[in-house]
């Protein structure tokens, strides 16, 4: 039986040998998860025998060596300071997406209605509502499996939201003061080139944005006016090279106050705009 120190050393060695990015960190995160210990407790006990959970740790290390995402092994993903449940039915939340949440929170007013299109795990909608609890939120996804995860996250976080299955706006009624979306935006031909953790374990339905990656932006921009109030905001997460195209798309559809917001790495990450007031609004 191994000590905690020896077991962690073995985990790091195995992950690095398998060329896992950040293998040292993943070895630690799996130890923290399996043995429910923080770093302080580890250093107090590192010379002790790991005990009966050693086999489980070795099993998870082996699975991670097979490129199964860490978050799928622990079913934990942190986003906007909240812990979300994730598995193979949804995309793992990415830190870059927090830019979309921050921009939405700045513009959403208490009591307003928010629609999250392509909600997936619900991380965007639930994170916004955690900061705007007086607002009403609806999350939409085509995938019934994804919606099960989103509803579970709502219950776990004790945040009230309405999750509905629909092909974009097809089965959605009412009007909203804000629509946010992180739609599929990877060009179909690029998906086979993505890292294995993404192409093999993220759901293809949440990745594939059509031939040029812009299919969902076109559809949402075209249809959003039927559900967005005059003066309401439409906000998208985008791929790093899609800012100009999505901005032009929204401008051609009559949106104003358009902005392309960069992420912390200086790459285009969010496009947002406001539906201009009209005398005769769509019905």
């Amino acid at each position: 039986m191994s000590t905690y120190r020896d077991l962690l050393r073995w985990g790091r060695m195995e992950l690095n040998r398998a060329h896992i990015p950040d293998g040292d960190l993943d070895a630690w995160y799996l130890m923290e998860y399996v043995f429910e210990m923080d770093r302080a407790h580890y250093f107090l006990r590192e010379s002790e025998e790991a005990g009966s959970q050693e086999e489980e740790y070795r099993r998870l290390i082996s699975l991670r060596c097979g490129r199964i995402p860490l978050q799928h092994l622990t079913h934990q993903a942190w986003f906007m300071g909240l812990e979300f449940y994730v598995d193979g039915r949804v995309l793992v939340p990415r830190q870059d997406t927090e830019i979309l949440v921050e921009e939405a929170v700045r513009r959403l007013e208490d009591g307003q209605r928010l629609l999250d299109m392509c909600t997936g795990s619900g991380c965007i909608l639930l994170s916004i509502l955690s900061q705007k609890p007086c607002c009403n939120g609806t999350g939409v996804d085509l995938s019934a499996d994804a919606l099960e995860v989103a509803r579970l996250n709502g219950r776990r976080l004790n945040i009230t939201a309405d999750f509905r299955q629909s092909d974009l706006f097809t089965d959605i009624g009412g009007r909203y003061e804000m629509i946010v979306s992180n739609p599929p935006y990877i060009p179909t031909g690029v998906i086979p080139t993505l890292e294995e953790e993404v192409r093999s374990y993220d759901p293809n339905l949440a990745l594939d944005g059509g031939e040029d990656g812009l299919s969902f932006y076109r559809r949402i921009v075209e249809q959003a006016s039927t559900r967005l109030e005059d003066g309401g905001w439409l906000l998208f997460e985008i791929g790093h090279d899609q800012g100009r195209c999505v901005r032009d798309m929204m401008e051609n559809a009559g949106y104003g106050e358009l902005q392309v917001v960069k992420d912390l790495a200086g790459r285009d990450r969010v496009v947002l705009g406001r539906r201009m007031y009209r005398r005769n609004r769509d019905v």
Side-chain angles (χ1 to χ4, degrees):
M1 190 170 292
S2 304
T3 65
Y4 289 111
R5 182 194 303 114
D6 291 340
L7 193 59
L8 180 60
R9 185 182 297 120
W10 172 84
R12 288 171 171 166
M13 181 181 65
E14 290 295 304
L15 294 180
N16 289 324
R17 181 182 296 159
H19 305 292
I20 301 299
D22 299 318
D24 286 354
L25 276 175
D26 283 5
W28 165 251
Y29 287 140
L30 287 173
M31 174 155 285
E32 185 179 48
Y33 170 72
V34 171
F35 296 102
E36 299 182 348
M37 64 166 62
D38 57 22
R39 288 187 182 274
H41 284 89
Y42 167 78
F43 287 118
L44 287 172
R45 302 176 58 191
E46 61 180 330
S47 61
E48 297 178 11
E49 291 187 346
S52 60
Q53 291 297 92
E54 177 178 342
E55 183 177 346
E56 175 65 5
Y57 181 78
R58 291 183 181 274
R59 184 183 75 86
L60 293 180
I61 289 290
S62 296
L63 291 174
R64 183 69 186 102
C65 286
R67 309 297 290 214
I68 296 177
L70 174 72
Q71 296 88 346
H72 287 185
L73 298 176
T74 65
H75 300 300
Q76 297 170 331
W78 288 90
F79 182 82
M80 295 297 296
L82 302 173
E83 183 184 342
F84 288 86
Y85 174 91
V86 294
D87 59 27
R89 294 174 288 179
V90 295
L91 287 179
V92 174
R94 270 71 167 178
Q95 186 176 7
D96 289 338
T97 305
E98 294 185 356
I99 306 295
L100 177 62
V101 172
E102 292 166 357
E103 294 297 328
V105 168
R106 289 191 184 102
R107 292 164 177 82
L108 189 65
E109 299 178 7
D110 287 348
Q112 290 188 330
R113 294 157 294 181
L114 166 68
L115 179 66
D116 177 21
M117 188 59 65
C118 308
T119 194
S121 68
C123 66
I124 293 171
L125 178 64
L126 296 171
S127 295
I128 295 172
L129 293 177
S130 74
Q131 299 187 49
K132 293 287 186 177
C134 295
C135 292
N136 297 308
T138 299
V140 177
D141 208 288
L142 180 60
S143 168
D145 288 339
L147 291 170
E148 288 183 6
V149 176
R151 293 186 182 108
L152 173 61
N153 280 318
R155 293 192 298 270
R156 285 164 58 98
L157 295 169
N158 196 27
I159 298 174
T160 300
D162 181 21
F163 291 104
R164 304 182 192 177
Q165 185 176 17
S166 177
D167 182 4
L168 298 185
F169 297 92
T170 303
D171 298 311
I172 301 301
R175 286 187 173 269
Y176 300 84
E177 282 79 21
M178 179 178 287
I179 298 174
V180 298
S181 184
N182 178 17
Y185 60 70
I186 307 298
T188 304
V190 173
I191 291 175
T193 71
L194 300 175
E195 61 184 13
E196 188 172 348
E197 284 87 343
V198 176
R199 71 173 186 268
S200 297
Y201 295 102
D202 275 342
N204 190 74
L205 187 65
L207 295 173
D208 195 340
E211 184 177 356
D212 62 358
L214 298 171
S215 296
F216 284 88
Y217 297 108
R218 293 189 186 95
R219 293 177 61 194
I220 293 172
V221 169
E222 179 182 344
Q223 300 174 28
S225 61
T226 65
R227 295 292 163 243
L228 190 60
E229 291 281 12
D230 293 335
W233 291 96
L234 176 61
L235 300 91
F236 288 113
E237 178 173 336
I238 57 165
H240 68 91
D241 57 352
Q242 296 171 327
R244 176 170 291 184
C245 290
V246 176
R247 186 191 185 284
D248 290 348
M249 208 180 291
M250 293 176 66
E251 184 174 32
N252 292 336
Y255 286 84
E257 301 185 38
L258 290 159
Q259 296 182 48
V260 179
V261 182
K262 296 185 182 297
D263 59 24
L264 295 177
R267 298 168 297 194
D268 291 349
R269 184 57 58 189
V270 170
V271 177
L272 59 90
R274 200 168 196 177
R275 186 179 185 224
M276 305 308 290
Y277 291 88
R278 303 174 183 179
R279 288 183 179 179
N280 298 314
R281 72 180 187 180
D282 300 323
V283 294

